[in-house]
Amino acid sequence: MKLIMLGAPGAGKGTQGAILSEKLAIPTISTGNILRAAVKNGTPVGLQAKSFMDAGKLVPDEVIIGIVAERLAQEDCRDGYILDGVPRTIAQAEALEQNGIVFDAVVSIEISDEEIEERMEGRRFCHSCGATYHVKNAPSKVEGVCDKCGGALELRDDDKPATVKHRLEVYHAETEPLKDFYEQRGILRPVDNQPTIEATTKAVLNALNI
Ligand code: AMP
């Protein structure tokens, strides 16, 4: 099964992707997490990406296409995968197609900008392992500490309100056109965001007929 999670920043792509990943026993590939790790480790890709990320801008397509090609070539992707946060532009989607990659479904989580802005303020991110939490909707057991690895939980720089506004603008301009792109290919599965994570998961599974 090859899936794409589409949706605005903070729509719940990572959360739902992780649940699907466990259920289907296939990895989730998050370009955001790969890039944050690269920034943290000071790799050449990280150095290239950092200023774009801090400003809430998209990292150039060539960088992303390189990262994804490398990751999808790894052994654990053989039986399928879930892409989270990629493709984010038509050029990235075309590059995947040109590499002969055919997706089974594209789950598009639909949520209003207002709800996103409210939600992002409470989002927390583990600096060590990349796990995400929410102070109200999905809190860690101990405040500020990652359940999975004990790392420190922080508000991402790009989750700060002014940057979130800009990221939403980028989403509408650059990423939302992907809905038409995949609709034309007959694989778009829109899912309305629900009041709880569990209810959204149910809606996602329904949309995928699993
Ligand atoms: P995310 O964690 O998916 O919200 O990504 C955080 C940031 O990483 C984005 O705001 C972009 O700067 C960058 N990024 C992640 N994935 C992509 C992508 N597919 N194309 C361009 N930039 C990306």
Side-chain angles (χ1 to χ4, degrees):
M1 181 89 117
K2 295 192 179 92
L3 297 176
I4 296 174
M5 303 302 292
L6 201 63
K13 303 185 294 291
T15 303
Q16 297 300 331
I19 294 168
L20 282 177
S21 163
E22 197 161 322
K23 195 171 170 65
L24 301 171
I26 50 177
T28 302
I29 293 153
S30 154
T31 40
N33 282 352
I34 295 173
L35 289 168
R36 279 184 287 280
V39 169
K40 194 173 153 209
N41 296 328
T43 68
V45 164
L47 293 175
Q48 228 179 329
K50 187 174 181 343
S51 59
F52 294 99
M53 294 175 75
D54 286 348
K57 294 191 173 137
L58 292 184
V59 172
D61 288 332
E62 318 77 83
V63 177
I64 299 295
I65 291 164
I67 291 176
V68 173
E70 195 178 309
R71 182 64 187 86
L72 296 187
Q74 288 174 16
E75 177 65 19
D76 64 335
C77 290
R78 211 190 34 204
D79 296 331
Y81 40 78
I82 300 164
L83 298 188
D84 161 17
V86 71
R88 243 179 169 102
T89 62
I90 296 282
Q92 292 176 17
E94 285 173 342
L96 288 165
E97 266 189 6
Q98 277 153 20
N99 279 313
I101 299 173
V102 177
F103 291 94
D104 296 288
V106 177
V107 175
S108 174
I109 304 180
E110 307 294 332
I111 177 169
S112 72
D113 285 6
E114 292 70 34
E115 209 167 330
I116 291 285
E117 287 175 57
E118 216 179 275
R119 192 185 266 199
M120 298 290 246
E121 275 177 45
R123 196 151 89 149
R124 295 293 177 271
F125 155 74
C126 173
H127 211 66
S128 304
C129 76
T132 51
Y133 299 85
H134 191 280
V135 290
K136 266 201 292 198
N137 308 337
S140 56
K141 292 196 183 89
V142 178
E143 198 186 320
V145 181
C146 179
D147 291 348
K148 298 197 175 109
C149 77
L153 301 184
E154 294 169 12
L155 180 67
R156 273 165 45 179
D157 279 343
D158 60 352
D159 280 350
K160 293 183 177 150
T163 316
V164 167
K165 266 205 181 315
H166 183 60
R167 291 171 70 200
L168 283 169
E169 282 164 18
V170 172
Y171 169 74
H172 292 304
E174 305 277 345
T175 308
E176 219 170 8
L178 287 174
K179 288 202 240 170
D180 274 346
F181 183 92
Y182 288 117
E183 173 80 72
Q184 283 162 20
R185 283 150 181 79
I187 56 170
L188 186 73
R189 305 281 177 269
V191 172
D192 283 331
N193 177 63
Q194 303 295 320
T196 63
I197 292 175
E198 293 74 22
T200 303
T201 302
K202 215 169 148 196
V204 169
L205 295 176
N206 257 340
L208 292 173
N209 283 324
I210 49 179

